[in-house]
């Protein structure tokens, strides 16, 4: 059994390279990814309980405000360990968005229902379109973004005349809402709220009989989606474009396992499809041997 820790913190880091140097020896027995940027740190990692606890103790000593969520996995969910320095831990490319200074009002899961049932509130799902497609809250707006940086365009084009409206936003675990709400506050939206802990925390805290969530929730691991009980859902990931697939998608003539689906059949080249077929062949051979191939669609 492996321990999995997920954490993020928006806090000024003056020397990202120095922090990376300190982290690397603590991560020798771990797998996953740690992103370090001048605006903070973001990570999901896995390892033995002892090794995870050693790293978390170091982080707590450096960043007393940091918190994390712990889960368990029967098999190692990651293939390698990466400590990477980036310009932003959540890429938005708008320097005025500073979550370490100011974010929207954090609303706990049980108060969220009351907020989003107010007819004056704009409910904004800040995830990308393929995530929203598998589930969201009733009446939530899908900005139809392919990447998070497109969120800026949506706000400027569709919400500029609604700055007086209360806006309630949500994302998977909360981190994108921190950046999105900071951007909106910096651009004249005074009444911004965000679901504390994200959709996953909501599903954990709210009884199914009281839940206003509809569908499943996309997650960035081998499960693809989880249902409202946080159990692995019914969607499969296209290895060609990483779009979640319904049963109907997999029955389409455009679906070829590991190669293409109705969402990407016309957007990938023949050369790419050839590479995908070779990869899928290796995955199938590894599976027949009882092994997990490194090219399989896991993070």
């Amino acid at each position: 059994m492996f321990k999995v820790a997920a954490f993020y913190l928006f806090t000024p880091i003056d020397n990202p390279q120095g922090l990376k140097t300190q982290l690397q020896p603590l991560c020798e027995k771990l797998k996953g990814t740690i992103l370090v940027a001048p605006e903070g740190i973001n990570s999901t990692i896995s390892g033995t309980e002892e090794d995870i606890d050693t790293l978390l103790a170091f982080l707590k000593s450096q960043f007393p405000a940091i918190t994390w969520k712990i889960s368990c996995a029967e098999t190692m969910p990651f293939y390698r360990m990466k400590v990477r320095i980036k310009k932003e831990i959540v890429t938005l490319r708008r320097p005025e968005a500073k979550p370490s200074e100011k974010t929207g009002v954090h609303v706990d899961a049980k108060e969220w229902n009351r907020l989003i049932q107010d007819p004056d509130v704009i409910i904004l799902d800040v995830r990308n379109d393929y995530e929203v497609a598998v589930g969201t809250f009733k009446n939530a707006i899908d900005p139809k973004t392919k990447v998070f940086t497109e969120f800026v365009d949506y706000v400027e084009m569709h919400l500029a005349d609604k700055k007086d409206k209360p806006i309630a936003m949500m994302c998977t675990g909360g981190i994108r809402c921190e950046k999105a709400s900071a951007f909106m506050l910096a651009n004249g939206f005074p009444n911004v709220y965000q679901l504390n802990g994200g959709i996953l925390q909501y599903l954990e805290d709210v009884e199914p009989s009281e839940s206003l969530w509809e569908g499943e929730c996309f997650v960035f691991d081998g499960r693809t989606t989880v249902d409202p009980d946080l159990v692995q859902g019914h969607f499969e990931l296209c290895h060609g474009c990483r779009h979640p697939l319904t049963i109907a998608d997999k029955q389409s003539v455009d679906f070829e396992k590991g190669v293409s689906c109705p969402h990407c059949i016309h957007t990938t080249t023949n050369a790419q499809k050839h590479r995908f077929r070779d990869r899928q062949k290796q995955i199938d051979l590894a599976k027949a041997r009882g092994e997990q191939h490194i090219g399989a669609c896991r993070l």
Side-chain angles (χ1 to χ4, degrees), residues 27-93:
C27 297
E28 289 180 350
K29 298 180 181 179
L30 302 177
K31 293 184 180 180
T33 301
I34 299 178
L35 303 180
V36 180
E39 69 175 1
I41 187 169
N42 178 27
S43 175
T44 303
I45 50 172
S46 182
T48 66
E49 183 172 6
E50 179 182 0
D51 292 331
I52 289 289
D53 289 350
T54 298
L55 175 65
L56 294 180
F58 167 77
L59 290 170
K60 196 70 174 178
S61 71
Q62 301 297 306
F63 309 106
I66 199 167
T67 59
W68 46 78
K69 294 196 71 173
I70 299 296
S71 59
C72 295
E74 293 185 4
T75 59
M76 171 57 73
F78 308 107
Y79 285 110
R80 57 183 68 86
M81 183 69 225
K82 296 180 289 185
V83 182
R84 299 178 55 196
I85 295 176
K86 297 189 67 179
K87 292 181 179 180
E88 301 175 76
I89 57 173
V90 180
T91 302
L92 194 62
R93 302 192 185 102

Side-chain angles (χ1 to χ4, degrees), residues 7-285:
F7 54 85
Y8 71 85
L9 181 68
F10 285 98
T11 186
I13 297 178
D14 296 330
N15 185 4
Q17 181 60 55
L19 179 58
K20 176 181 177 179
T21 300
Q22 290 178 292
L23 288 170
Q24 284 179 317
L26 298 172
C27 297
E28 289 180 350
K29 298 180 181 179
L30 302 177
K31 293 184 180 180
T33 301
I34 299 178
L35 303 180
V36 180
E39 69 175 1
I41 187 169
N42 178 27
S43 175
T44 303
I45 50 172
S46 182
T48 66
E49 183 172 6
E50 179 182 0
D51 292 331
I52 289 289
D53 289 350
T54 298
L55 175 65
L56 294 180
F58 167 77
L59 290 170
K60 196 70 174 178
S61 71
Q62 301 297 306
F63 309 106
I66 199 167
T67 59
W68 46 78
K69 294 196 71 173
I70 299 296
S71 59
C72 295
E74 293 185 4
T75 59
M76 171 57 73
F78 308 107
Y79 285 110
R80 57 183 68 86
M81 183 69 225
K82 296 180 289 185
V83 182
R84 299 178 55 196
I85 295 176
K86 297 189 67 179
K87 292 181 179 180
E88 301 175 76
I89 57 173
V90 180
T91 302
L92 194 62
R93 302 192 185 102
R94 292 299 292 254
E96 74 271 27
K98 298 178 180 179
S100 62
E101 296 181 4
K102 191 174 185 181
T103 62
V105 177
H106 288 69
V107 180
D108 288 338
K110 293 182 180 178
E111 290 297 315
W112 181 254
N113 283 359
R114 180 193 58 77
L115 177 65
I116 66 173
Q117 290 182 97
D118 183 335
D120 290 330
V121 172
I122 295 173
I123 310 166
L124 188 58
D125 195 325
V126 304
R127 300 172 301 157
N128 293 329
D129 56 359
Y130 62 90
E131 300 170 76
V132 180
V134 302
T136 190
F137 287 98
K138 185 178 180 180
N139 297 325
I141 294 173
D142 175 10
K144 300 188 184 303
T145 57
K146 300 295 182 184
V147 293
F148 187 48
T149 51
E150 294 177 359
F151 176 75
V152 170
D153 297 328
Y154 177 82
V155 172
E156 293 176 345
M157 293 176 62
H158 299 281
L159 298 179
D161 61 343
K162 298 179 176 62
K163 290 187 176 181
D164 60 328
K165 289 279 191 178
I167 296 174
M169 60 177 63
M170 90 292 292
C171 59
T172 308
I175 188 170
R176 273 178 283 185
C177 285
E178 301 277 37
K179 202 69 176 282
S181 68
F183 165 74
M184 296 188 76
L185 287 168
N187 284 276
F189 293 82
N191 303 309
V192 181
Y193 303 85
Q194 59 193 81
L195 178 56
N196 193 32
I199 297 160
L200 295 178
Q201 191 67 53
Y202 178 91
L203 296 178
E204 183 177 328
D205 291 348
V206 177
E207 294 294 330
S209 60
E210 301 175 359
S211 177
L212 299 180
W213 178 259
E214 297 181 343
E216 299 184 0
C217 180
F218 186 91
V219 290
F220 294 89
D221 58 42
R223 296 171 297 175
T224 304
T225 63
V226 293
D227 67 17
D229 295 319
L230 297 176
V231 176
Q232 182 169 344
H234 300 90
F235 288 81
E236 182 179 323
L237 206 62
C238 173
H239 290 208
C241 67
R242 300 188 64 77
H243 196 286
L245 303 176
T246 64
I247 293 175
D249 287 333
K250 290 186 286 186
Q251 292 175 340
S252 168
V253 295
D254 294 328
F255 175 69
E256 182 179 349
K257 185 175 178 61
V259 179
S260 65
C261 74
H263 304 282
C264 68
I265 184 67
H266 299 301
T267 62
T268 54
T269 66
N270 289 333
Q272 287 175 310
K273 291 182 177 67
H274 180 73
R275 291 201 307 272
F276 297 159
R277 288 189 185 96
D278 285 344
R279 177 185 60 188
Q280 187 61 41
K281 180 179 179 180
Q282 295 304 315
I283 292 171
D284 292 340
L285 289 173

